[in-house]
Structure formats: structure tokens, C-alpha cells
Amino acid sequence: MAVSKEILDLIPQGCKVNWNEKQQRFYVYKSTYYYSKEHKRSREQRTQVGTIVNGVFTYAKSYLLKQQIKDLKQEVKSSTADVVNKTSEILSNEVIDPRQAAKVQYPLAYVYLVALLSSLSGQTSCVQIADYWSNHRAALETVFEDFPKQDISHDTVRRLLMLIDPEQFQGFYGRLVEPLLHKFTSRIVAVDGQAVKASRKSR
């Protein structure tokens, strides 16, 4: 079936259309090509963008979900980068790194960032922080190009955390976490059908 100019004007840029006689609708999709080692040739992979029924274009729910996930990942990456920049700013103003710059393998900003993320998930010991680093290093490397490529030992974590006074670190931790808390101003109440027990008063 020939595609009219009116139909082409409905679809997003870079998309193609395919008429389905049985469903009596146009399927709108994007094509990407990749080399298949198995077939030893280039193959097409289609991603459905939406449909056109009776002259009305509608996005596919799966496509919108993928776009939301993509936007969310970008937002998380941007927010995390802001946290690291703020960490570096606070550290440069409050903590003097006595190590020789040429021999530094683990920047303080990243060590304290991982310590922060680890503590937010309830893991506060040096061993747990080192494990958190190891378990999430691949994800952190995708966000930060200069993130260390090797795991860190709990001894190194302990030694680097000792560079800052505990009271000073508590203030540093508070200033770093406070901006994050403003993003979550509403209380989270888990509603899963369970009854409240052992309560003396109705409220």
C-alpha cells in the first residue's frame, strides 16, 4: 500500500512505516543495522515506535518506556556527577591530601563518594565499603571515565578515611547529603496489605 504524504507527516523523523493488511494499520518503526558473526553479514533490527490507525499516530508503550529509562539514566548520571563535583569542592576546601599527586591511585573524592553511597545502603564498615566499591565499580566506571579501574582494599579505605577528622567528616557528610534529601520531601509509606500490630493506640 502506498504511503501518502499525510501519513508521512504523522511519523517522527527517521522512522519508517509498514502497512499491515490483517490489522489494517501502519506500523511505525526504526531500523538499526549490525554485523552478525553467525550469518556473516549485516542484519536489520527493528524497534517499534508506534502505530497509525485511521489517520491517528500513537506511540508504542514499550518505546515510551525505553525513552523514559534512557532519560532517567541520563538524569541519574547528571545527578551523580553533581554529587562528585560537590564532593571534590568540599574536599578541596576542607581536607588536605598529604599524598604525592603522582602516586595517587584512589582520588579522595571517589573514595568518600563510595563511602557515602555505601552508608546510604546501610554498609558502613571499611570492609563493606571496599565490597561496595568492588560490586559497583563497573557501573561507576560507566558514569565516570576516570574512575579507578581496580578494586580497593579495606585497609586503603580505612587509611584514606583517617585523613579526615570524624567530627569534620560528620559535617562533610551532612552537607553532602542535605541537597539529596530535598529531592525526597514526601514520606514513603509501604502499603502492602499487612496489618499494624502491637499498637497501643489507634493513631
Side-chain angles (χ1 to χ4, degrees):
M1 181 177 181
V3 182
S4 65
K5 184 179 184 302
E6 289 76 12
I7 295 295
L8 292 176
D9 290 340
L10 293 175
I11 67 174
Q13 189 174 4
C15 293
K16 300 178 181 179
V17 294
N18 189 24
W19 171 252
N20 187 298
E21 185 67 31
K22 185 177 180 179
Q23 299 290 334
Q24 289 293 301
R25 64 184 60 189
F26 286 97
Y27 281 96
V28 182
Y29 64 94
K30 285 185 177 181
S31 291
T32 54
Y33 294 88
Y34 66 97
Y35 180 77
S36 172
K37 293 182 179 179
E38 180 183 354
H39 298 88
K40 297 183 178 179
R41 62 185 176 87
S42 178
R43 294 181 64 87
E44 180 186 20
Q45 182 176 5
R46 293 186 176 185
T47 300
Q48 183 179 348
V49 175
T51 57
I52 299 176
V53 181
N54 297 326
V56 178
F57 172 75
T58 305
Y59 278 102
K61 291 182 179 179
S62 59
Y63 179 78
L64 291 176
L65 181 60
K66 288 179 180 178
Q67 292 299 113
Q68 289 176 355
I69 292 175
K70 182 179 179 181
D71 294 341
L72 182 60
K73 286 182 177 179
Q74 184 61 38
E75 182 180 346
V76 169
K77 183 176 181 180
S78 177
S79 298
T80 310
D82 290 341
V83 172
V84 170
N85 291 335
K86 188 170 183 62
T87 305
S88 300
E89 180 182 348
I90 294 175
L91 286 174
S92 61
N93 294 333
E94 301 185 12
V95 181
I96 299 176
D97 191 346
R99 301 174 297 170
Q100 297 181 18
K103 297 181 179 180
V104 171
Q105 288 185 319
Y106 307 101
L108 286 182
Y110 287 139
V111 175
Y112 290 148
L113 171 66
V114 172
L116 168 66
L117 296 174
S118 178
S119 65
L120 289 176
S121 62
Q123 305 174 54
T124 56
S125 71
C126 293
V127 173
Q128 291 173 328
I129 293 172
D131 288 341
Y132 190 96
W133 179 295
S134 176
N135 295 334
H136 297 83
R137 180 168 53 81
L140 291 168
E141 286 178 1
T142 62
V143 178
F144 309 108
E145 296 180 357
D146 57 343
F147 193 85
K149 303 296 183 183
Q150 60 277 353
D151 292 334
I152 191 171
S153 69
H154 65 276
D155 290 328
T156 302
V157 171
R158 178 177 178 275
R159 179 170 53 83
L160 295 180
L161 290 179
M162 288 175 64
L163 292 177
I164 185 172
D165 181 82
E167 294 184 0
Q168 190 180 25
F169 185 78
Q170 185 176 1
F172 156 77
Y173 180 87
R175 286 190 297 280
L176 197 60
V177 172
E178 186 178 359
L180 299 178
L181 297 180
H182 288 306
K183 295 184 179 181
F184 305 98
T185 55
S186 60
R187 292 187 61 187
I188 299 175
V189 180
V191 182
D192 56 2
Q194 296 185 13
V196 177
K197 297 182 179 180
S199 54
R200 293 178 180 271
K201 298 181 181 180
S202 60
R203 63 181 179 182

